[in-house]
Amino acid sequence: MSSAPETGNTLSNPVVPGFHPDPSICRVGADYYLACSSFEYYPGVPVFHSRDLVHWTQIGNALDRPGQLRLPPGTSSSGGLYAPTLRHHDDRFWLVVTNVSGDGNILFTATDPAGPWSDPVRLPGVQGIDPDLAWDDEGNCWCTVAGVSQIRIDPQTGETFGEPRRLWSGAPGAKAPEAPHLYHIGAYWYLLIAEGGTERCHGVSIARSRTPDGPFEPCPDNPILTHRGTDHPVQNTGHGDLVQGPDGSWWMVFLGVRPRGGTPGWHVLGRETFLAPVTWVDDWPVVGEVSLALSPPPWPLQRPAAAPVRDDFELSELAPVWISLRSRPVEHYSTKERSGWLSLRARGASLDDPEAIFVGRRQQHLSFRARTSVDPAEGRGGLAVRLDEQHHYEIEATASEVRVIARIGPLRTVVASHPVTGAAPVVLAIEAAVTRQVTDARQGPDTLAFGVQDPEGVFVELAALDGRYLSTEVAGGFTGRVIGMYAAAGTVHFDWFDYVPLED
Ligand code: 6LW
């Protein structure tokens, strides 16, 4: 569901739209793989495949079993899994990631990145987020973390050797040196980092050394990527990873956001994965222009089949695009209880509850329409736009009523209600319309309209809400909007769900 929409001769950037931050990429022959952070959502760490760096298809989630991902009930929103590094070495894929809400740094291997991935190898001696893996010619494995420091590890056992060594912290005084990636390219070892924090001052800097453990010499042109202080439509650019294209050219994947509306600008899709070309001058990488419309690269494009927009819940397993909150216990989620339906058995009386039963997908387009057909005869539930427990809007059905509810910070209110007549199911709908033109500095980024579909298929709007309250600038944190179905009482059955991008 993640292919980039295309117009004319250009390809659209972000290449992986929606809440897909902290991209890490690796190449194996003609194939590219990419992994992102997933925080409190389960399953964790979405993994994508591409053959042209532009069109990406989700092939799984690396951590998709309870034995791999433990997000205890106290796991806060934007806790959980941070910043994976994905590498290929010795005929195997290696993925290292931090679970900030429990297991710390954990490492997984797979022969097929679509899975299954191994059980976790814990790295108790590696302290710090954003772990990276790099192997030198002697076979030593170097694990580098935010700070930036490094320790040698045995990736099979998780054993560490010696004490962590401080390598380089970016510009003196700059906040949050993080997201290190270490590469051996030509005669140098390069240490790529992010600095300035993941907000508007984010950036990417680099240093180089003749050996993997330093000393590192900073690039005279740092930061090599930042949009701080600019009016570029893509902001917060940082957290990059380098890769070579099929023709040997160089590219960087990195995160960025698309703020909309008036002042100060609100972004609602979370941090998304973008692509930019890289050239080399004096053995330093130079990042080219970041564009929302990429020029086609000089190799064949491999467009995947059109992304499915509708799920009829005919399969026994949920597709990888679907994510839940912290865990997905089988007794609460079923596609077998009623054949061809998704049945959700409630735990927690609303999405305010961290343990709520929810199946959602990331919002990947600025404007979209999502619908679901719900049978609430045995419970209460509906369709939601979720940022976290304190920031969500939903349209909820019972056997007698449909209500629109807004939760914004400490406030929760029923915005509209509408009696239900006739037999279930009811089609609930959400339409998001991006703010195209700013005529007032206080204008929000988008409007979210909630309604039901009448028997003729016509959308009947019950409420329209300002989208700014479901933005990262209001809610805080590291995630983005997720659209999905939930149960708040009893068992709620969903016949189908569809999500259609609308014209921006
Ligand atoms: C991640 C850090 C960052 O660990 O944000 O933008 C943190 N960079 O590298 C959470 O995604």
Side-chain angles (χ1 to χ4, degrees):
M1 282 205 185
S2 300
S3 30
E6 291 161 25
T7 38
N9 258 347
T10 56
L11 303 162
S12 92
N13 218 3
V15 290
V16 189
F19 147 50
H20 291 110
D22 308 329
S24 180
I25 190 166
C26 76
R27 175 190 181 181
V28 185
D31 295 295
Y32 294 90
Y33 300 96
L34 186 143
C36 297
S37 302
S38 52
F39 303 96
E40 74 268 29
Y41 289 95
Y42 181 98
V45 184
V47 179
F48 297 84
H49 171 253
S50 173
R51 295 204 120 186
D52 62 11
L53 288 178
V54 177
H55 300 95
W56 292 90
T57 303
Q58 190 175 355
I59 55 172
N61 293 281
L63 283 65
D64 62 0
R65 308 189 295 272
Q68 294 171 308
L69 177 53
R70 287 182 304 184
L71 297 171
T75 301
S76 61
S77 282
S78 290
L81 293 180
Y82 279 30
T85 292
L86 178 62
R87 294 290 180 256
H88 187 257
H89 173 78
D90 258 352
D91 292 330
R92 265 198 285 177
F93 291 88
W94 302 78
L95 187 130
V96 65
V97 63
T98 315
N99 181 347
V100 299
S101 304
D103 289 333
N105 287 311
I106 38 182
L107 190 152
F108 302 83
T109 58
T111 49
D112 180 350
W117 285 81
S118 70
D119 286 335
V121 172
R122 297 191 58 172
L123 302 172
V126 178
Q127 296 295 325
I129 58 167
D130 301 354
D132 174 74
L133 297 175
W135 284 263
D136 66 21
D137 291 343
E138 283 78 55
N140 295 311
C141 180
W142 299 93
C143 186
T144 310
V145 294
V148 168
S149 69
Q150 184 186 67
I151 194 162
R152 194 162 70 80
I153 67 166
D154 178 342
Q156 316 268 2
T157 63
E159 195 184 346
T160 46
F161 305 103
E163 290 299 312
R165 284 171 36 117
R166 183 54 69 102
L167 294 187
W168 177 58
S169 300
K175 154 176 162 183
E178 59 191 9
H181 289 305
L182 186 65
Y183 316 90
H184 196 188
I185 301 170
Y188 290 102
W189 284 85
Y190 289 89
L191 178 60
L192 188 76
I193 68 164
E195 59 179 336
T198 196
E199 304 80 24
R200 295 289 192 272
C201 288
H202 215 198
V204 176
S205 292
I206 196 161
R208 71 186 181 195
S209 166
R210 295 284 178 187
T211 55
D213 53 349
F216 282 91
E217 162 207 1
C219 173
D221 295 324
N222 280 335
I224 60 170
L225 170 66
T226 188
H227 287 172
R228 61 182 74 130
T230 70
D231 59 5
H232 198 287
V234 183
Q235 290 289 315
N236 303 27
T237 50
H239 202 123
D241 200 3
L242 291 168
V243 72
Q244 275 183 286
D247 62 351
S249 56
W250 284 85
W251 297 80
M252 183 186 283
V253 287
F254 56 92
L255 70 79
V257 305
R258 293 183 279 169
R260 300 293 295 227
T263 300
W266 295 267
H267 75 274
V268 303
L269 301 188
R271 298 168 299 161
E272 311 178 86
T273 289
F274 290 81
L275 179 71
V278 171
T279 51
W280 291 82
V281 176
D282 298 332
D283 290 330
W284 290 111
V286 177
V287 183
E289 201 202 327
V290 176
S291 170
L292 286 169
L294 284 168
S295 306
W299 52 76
L301 294 175
Q302 310 260 345
R303 289 182 176 83
V309 294
R310 178 172 161 121
D311 196 329
D312 281 294
F313 306 117
E314 302 289 349
L315 304 176
S316 59
E317 298 289 326
L318 285 175
V321 71
W322 293 114
I323 49 178
S324 298
L325 300 171
R326 299 172 182 83
S327 65
R328 192 181 279 163
V330 285
E331 60 278 20
H332 289 275
Y333 296 85
S334 174
T335 49
K336 295 174 192 143
E337 185 172 329
R338 199 187 271 189
S339 179
W341 292 66
L342 172 68
S343 299
L344 303 181
R345 190 157 73 80
R347 179 178 66 181
S350 74
L351 287 175
D352 299 353
D353 191 315
E355 293 299 287
I357 300 303
F358 174 79
V359 172
R361 51 151 296 152
R362 292 154 173 94
Q363 179 182 337
Q364 293 191 283
H365 304 84
L366 299 172
S367 300
F368 73 94
R369 187 197 66 203
R371 296 180 306 172
T372 189
S373 174
V374 58
D375 174 359
E378 298 167 21
R380 174 169 57 86
L383 184 62
V385 182
R386 176 187 195 271
L387 204 59
D388 61 22
E389 282 77 32
Q390 288 82 36
H391 301 87
H392 48 88
Y393 297 158
E394 54 262 19
I395 180 158
E396 185 170 283
T398 65
S400 58
E401 190 185 48
V402 170
R403 306 191 292 173
V404 179
I405 300 162
R407 167 80 199 255
I408 303 168
L411 308 176
R412 181 185 169 84
T413 183
V414 175
V415 183
S417 64
H418 180 73
V420 169
T421 47
V426 186
V427 177
L428 306 176
I430 302 174
E431 283 189 13
V434 71
T435 303
R436 288 198 184 91
Q437 229 190 332
V438 177
T439 50
D440 179 331
R442 298 161 302 164
Q443 234 168 310
D446 62 352
T447 302
L448 293 163
F450 293 79
V452 291
Q453 196 170 286
D454 74 11
E456 279 76 52
V458 176
F459 177 64
V460 180
E461 183 179 303
L462 302 182
L465 303 172
D466 186 330
R468 82 181 68 201
Y469 305 109
L470 306 189
S471 71
T472 301
E473 283 75 7
V474 168
F478 295 125
T479 62
R481 286 190 194 155
V482 178
I483 317 298
M485 297 148 286
Y486 69 97
T491 299
V492 185
H493 306 278
F494 298 88
D495 191 6
W496 51 264
F497 170 97
D498 69 5
Y499 170 96
V500 183
L502 300 178
E503 195 79 13
D504 286 337

